[in-house]
Amino acid sequence: MTGATWAALAGLGAFHGLNPAMGWLFAVARGLQERRRAALLAALPPIAAGHLASVAVVAALVSATRSVTASTAVAVAGVVTLLGAA
């Protein structure tokens, strides 16, 4: 996989962090597109890395502010982002 492929899959993983149902969809789509199980399995690590990064950013934001308001604001921003993407 090229660096651009890794970056794209990590970006999809970050999107997966916002909408957990999407990660498997992207991995399966890649596997079906290339018609190889190995392509599906190769897509999982960058998707997982992007998901981890997304969750880490949100966790760090909430932990850094130690505020219920921040966690509410993050939840509202996540909902708005998901609705915008839908």
Side-chain angles (χ1 to χ4, degrees):
M1 274 196 286
T2 66
T5 303
W6 265 85
L9 288 172
L12 293 174
F15 181 65
H16 167 62
L18 294 173
N19 183 0
M22 299 304 293
W24 283 104
L25 177 64
F26 292 129
V28 169
R30 182 166 161 83
L32 288 173
Q33 186 177 34
E34 294 190 21
R35 298 179 188 254
R36 296 182 311 124
R37 179 181 286 178
L40 181 143
L41 296 174
L44 292 178
I47 288 174
H51 176 78
L52 177 64
S54 176
V55 171
V57 166
V58 172
L61 178 64
V62 172
S63 293
T65 60
R66 293 188 180 149
S67 166
V68 173
T69 305
S71 63
T72 302
V74 169
V76 170
V79 167
V80 169
T81 303
L82 283 175
L83 290 176

